[in-house]
Amino acid sequence: DGTCHLDCTVPGGCGKMGYHADELKSVKSAYGKKFFMKTTSRAPYCEYHYALRVTLGNPSGSYQWRGELRANIHGTNGQLGERVVTDDYVYFNPGQSYSFLIAVPHNIGEIRDVSLHWVHHGISINPFQWNPFHLRHPELFFQSVEVVAGDSFQKIKFCGTGGTESNSQRTLSTKC
């Protein structure tokens, strides 16, 4: 559900899973605990994990909108490629934060920026979500996006400015 903690705050360091399991340190507090990770359907099954925490701004006149969110993280070794991060259409509320977990088979290196792309999807039983003549311009205000790389524990926060209309992309590269 995107609430995984990928940053390591255990004294003496954290054990590693996946590609780096051979570097595992014995951590007594880990005995008897359950651990989860996303895998691929083919060998070697390992993936790199990136946690995304998107915080929406709440400017005057902003509304709750329903839609899907896509993200692409760019790094020094490439990019993830645009991925749908919402499981279904989500109601995005101004001022709220949303967490997602993205798993990919390659390491993108040091994180440089994040591109967010959202698509509005109104619901047919709610006339306030209708936009048949495209007179309204649904937009989200991305206040900040925090990214944590699961393999390196790199944590970086980018700040956004202005709104992003439906079916358009916003790249955040300014660090907060």
Side-chain angles (χ1 to χ4, degrees), residues 56-130:
L56 299 180
N58 191 9
S60 176
S62 58
Y63 297 96
Q64 174 191 64
W65 295 109
R66 180 177 178 260
E68 93 181 354
L69 184 64
R70 302 170 187 173
N72 188 4
I73 304 172
H74 301 90
T76 54
N77 296 337
Q79 61 179 318
L80 300 182
E82 187 173 272
R83 311 246 173 193
V84 176
V85 295
T86 49
D87 290 332
D88 199 359
Y89 301 140
V90 173
Y91 283 97
F92 290 101
N93 296 300
Q96 297 294 311
S97 293
Y98 300 87
S99 296
F100 307 99
L101 183 66
I102 303 172
V104 294
H106 59 281
N107 182 352
I108 63 164
E110 188 176 325
I111 299 164
R112 292 194 312 209
D113 62 49
V114 178
S115 295
L116 300 172
H117 176 190
W118 89 281
V119 179
H120 172 255
H121 290 278
I123 186 166
S124 60
I125 61 172
N126 182 351
F128 295 107
Q129 290 279 322
W130 296 352

Side-chain angles (χ1 to χ4, degrees), residues 1 7 15 18 28 45 50-53 64 67 74-75 77 84 98 101 113 117 123 126 128 136 154-155 172-173:
D1 64 1
D7 53 341
K28 290 187 180 199
Y45 305 107
Y50 296 89
L52 214 65
R53 183 169 177 82
Q64 174 191 64
H74 301 90
N77 296 337
V84 176
Y98 300 87
L101 183 66
D113 62 49
H117 176 190
I123 186 166
N126 182 351
F128 295 107
R136 289 188 290 164
Q154 178 191 7
K155 184 189 289 189
L172 285 78
S173 58

Side-chain angles (χ1 to χ4, degrees), residues 1-33:
D1 64 1
T3 59
C4 301
H5 296 281
L6 296 184
D7 53 341
C8 180
T9 56
V10 176
C14 292
K16 295 186 177 184
M17 297 174 68
Y19 287 122
H20 304 290
D22 59 334
E23 300 173 14
L24 178 65
K25 296 177 184 177
S26 177
V27 179
K28 290 187 180 199
S29 64
Y31 292 115
K33 304 267 177 160

